[in-house]
Amino acid sequence: DVNAQVKRVPAIEQRIEELQRSQQAALQVLEPERQQQEADLAKLVAFYQSMKPKNAAELLEKLPLELATSVLSRMKQREAGKILNVMDDARAVQISKRMADLNP
């Protein structure tokens, strides 16, 4: 029945608005944690960027792939290139592929 469908539309719109408010509230709760993670990552980037490329490469090879990729993708290109150049070839390829996916 068309009348029953018309009555349901405002209820659906109201539910959508409620869900959007809930999503915004959740994002506000998570924002401080996200900011802290970004700050911690920035510290790691500075730490590895200040090291000799060979030493940084040895340590980055031991990190989980996602973390190593995040660190290298936030470095200056020149510094990241120096590190990737002395890194194990297979690991450097994995990281390079992931970095390419981040920056299509």
Side-chain angles (χ1 to χ4, degrees), residues 13-82:
E13 289 175 1
Q14 181 180 4
R15 183 66 180 140
I16 290 171
E17 289 174 10
E18 289 172 11
L19 291 171
Q20 288 173 336
R21 284 192 299 273
S22 295
Q23 180 183 23
Q24 289 295 356
L27 290 174
Q28 287 177 350
V29 169
L30 295 174
E31 183 60 20
E33 183 178 329
R34 188 197 65 77
Q35 288 178 354
Q36 183 61 49
Q37 288 176 344
E38 283 296 319
D40 292 344
L41 191 54
K43 289 177 188 175
L44 275 178
V45 169
F47 172 74
Y48 284 109
Q49 207 163 246
S50 69
M51 296 175 75
K52 292 182 180 181
K54 184 174 178 8
N55 295 343
E58 288 173 1
L59 292 175
L60 285 166
E61 287 174 350
K62 295 175 184 174
L63 291 180
L65 183 59
E66 284 296 319
L67 181 55
T69 303
S70 292
V71 169
L72 283 166
S73 67
R74 285 170 174 78
M75 283 186 177
K76 295 176 185 172
Q77 282 185 327
R78 185 178 186 95
E79 299 302 317
K82 289 178 184 177

